Amino acid sequence: MTKDGSRITLRQLEIFLAAVENRSFAAAAETLSLSAPAVSMQMSKLGEELGAVLFEKEGRSIQPTEIANALVPYARQMTTTLTDAVEMVKSMQGELDNRVRVAMVSTARNFGPQLFQEFQKHHPRIDLQITIANRRGVIEALETGQIDLALMGRPPRRIEVTAHQFARHPYVLISHPDHPLARFRRIRRADLAAHRFLVREPGSGTRMVHEHYFQSDGLSLPQSQEMDSNANIKQAVMANMGLAFISAHTIALEHEAGKLTILDAEDMPELRDWFVLYPKEAVLGAAARQFRDFIKSKGPRFMRDFFGPTLAPV
């Protein structure tokens, strides 16, 4: 082992991160187009260089040790720094000026593709690379430099970003048309607490709306069932399994078809915002700047035209 770890290579760190993520040398090898023995050998060398055990076998899988887990953020920082440096050089040479990487939260999938297509009509030569993920996944992609820009609701708190609001984002409370509450007006929060709700995972924007709605009035959270997507929540509501807070931008078709009802509940709809955002210290390339400017200037009109005044209030 060298005292300063000078024999550690960035390739070893890339392999290390893949092994941690996949919990398998074979899966990591497939991801990196290497052989499993090559991955195992490089991890042995990395462990020897550090003087520490990095992985322990557990059946057919591997588990990172406490030391390996502590090493992960440093490995990510070093690989990301190198990637940023290489892309900076290429960008200065004009090689990346026609590419922009954008991630959007899953709620935005109901309008995002159409908005992106509108952008491509005006900028057909730009290579627009799109990722859809939950809120946590989008934030992680921003942190690790995997994307240039994001379309999402409330900006993240754990990283500093530059955020530009481009549309209002209404959240509504929905039910099956035959639900007993569907015939009432101005339903009180306290009256809702006795009903069963369908919710997204902790940390999602929809879950935050649900929890804030009751807790801000000093009420206990009602009985709920967690689901992993807005699509599943909509299907469950249409099956009369419960109520749900949801983005109005995800239910336009079902509401128009009479498959579900927007309840007239106290202090609803709750208006939030859509943002296009990026890390505060990021230096955007030419294509990313064009996309940002397009969303800022054309996004508001697009949202009003796409959803109409009811679901896209200004």
Side-chain angles (χ1 to χ4, degrees):
M1 170 182 173
T2 58
K3 292 183 178 180
D4 59 357
S6 59
R7 294 179 183 174
I8 296 175
T9 67
L10 284 167
R11 185 56 170 168
Q12 285 176 332
L13 294 179
E14 291 175 347
I15 295 171
F16 166 74
L17 291 173
V20 170
E21 181 177 353
N22 289 279
R23 298 293 198 273
S24 163
F25 287 155
E30 185 176 352
T31 300
L32 299 171
S33 298
L34 297 172
S35 67
V39 169
S40 179
M41 180 183 67
Q42 288 300 323
M43 291 303 91
S44 294
K45 288 184 178 180
L46 180 59
E48 291 173 2
E49 183 65 18
L50 293 170
V53 176
L54 298 178
F55 298 98
E56 296 176 342
K57 288 188 176 181
E58 189 174 287
R60 294 186 176 182
S61 64
I62 56 171
Q63 294 299 323
T65 63
E66 184 178 357
I67 289 177
N69 285 324
L71 179 62
V72 167
Y74 296 98
R76 283 178 175 163
Q77 182 178 1
M78 285 185 277
T79 56
T80 298
T81 297
L82 177 62
T83 299
D84 289 345
V86 171
E87 291 194 356
M88 178 274 295
V89 172
K90 290 183 177 180
S91 180
M92 291 183 68
Q93 295 173 334
E95 295 182 19
L96 292 181
D97 280 354
N98 73 329
R99 187 191 75 176
V100 56
R101 302 166 302 169
V102 182
M104 60 180 172
V105 293
S106 54
T107 304
R109 70 184 347 137
N110 296 278
F111 67 86
Q114 291 84 354
L115 181 57
F116 295 153
Q117 180 62 23
E118 190 67 22
F119 171 77
Q120 294 273 232
K121 289 180 183 178
H122 293 83
H123 304 280
R125 295 186 179 181
I126 288 181
D127 177 18
L128 181 59
Q129 300 178 5
I130 304 167
T131 301
I132 302 175
N134 61 21
R135 176 180 172 85
R136 183 177 302 171
V138 172
I139 293 174
E140 289 178 355
L142 281 170
E143 286 183 308
T144 56
Q146 299 175 50
I147 58 173
D148 303 305
L149 300 139
L151 292 186
M152 63 190 304
R154 185 175 62 84
R157 294 180 179 177
R158 72 190 198 202
I159 57 173
E160 289 190 282
V161 297
T162 299
H164 303 282
Q165 188 265 11
F166 69 90
R168 301 308 304 271
H169 185 188
Y171 280 84
V172 294
L173 178 60
I174 60 173
S175 77
H176 186 279
D178 293 335
H179 192 280
L181 290 177
R183 64 178 181 271
F184 289 96
R185 296 291 174 265
R186 308 310 302 162
I187 305 165
R188 299 183 306 163
R189 293 173 202 250
D191 294 332
L192 290 167
H195 292 269
R196 188 166 183 265
F197 278 76
L198 306 160
V199 299
R200 286 288 300 275
E201 70 279 1
S204 72
T206 306
R207 181 69 167 263
M208 292 176 187
V209 170
H210 171 86
E211 293 177 351
H212 178 264
Y213 186 79
F214 292 103
Q215 292 175 342
S216 63
D217 205 37
L219 297 171
S220 298
L221 294 176
Q223 178 187 6
S224 63
Q225 178 180 347
E226 187 174 307
M227 294 192 165
D228 61 0
S229 71
N230 288 329
N232 288 340
I233 285 180
K234 287 191 295 184
Q235 290 299 321
V237 171
M238 288 189 287
N240 212 2
M241 292 174 60
L243 309 178
F245 291 96
I246 198 166
S247 164
H249 291 159
T250 69
I251 63 163
L253 294 178
E254 294 85 355
H255 181 247
E256 184 178 352
K259 299 293 185 180
L260 51 78
T261 294
I262 297 176
L263 296 181
D264 184 11
E266 179 181 0
D267 294 328
M268 294 299 292
E270 181 172 324
L271 296 181
R272 298 202 170 188
D273 297 291
W274 282 113
F275 294 92
V276 56
L277 54 82
Y278 48 94
K280 192 171 184 179
E281 302 301 323
V283 179
L284 298 180
R289 292 195 303 271
Q290 286 181 298
F291 182 84
R292 175 201 62 191
D293 294 343
F294 174 85
I295 299 299
K296 288 171 59 179
S297 63
K298 305 296 185 182
R301 176 65 178 271
F302 171 87
M303 295 294 279
R304 288 194 298 270
D305 292 346
F306 189 77
F307 288 107
T310 302
L311 298 184
V314 295

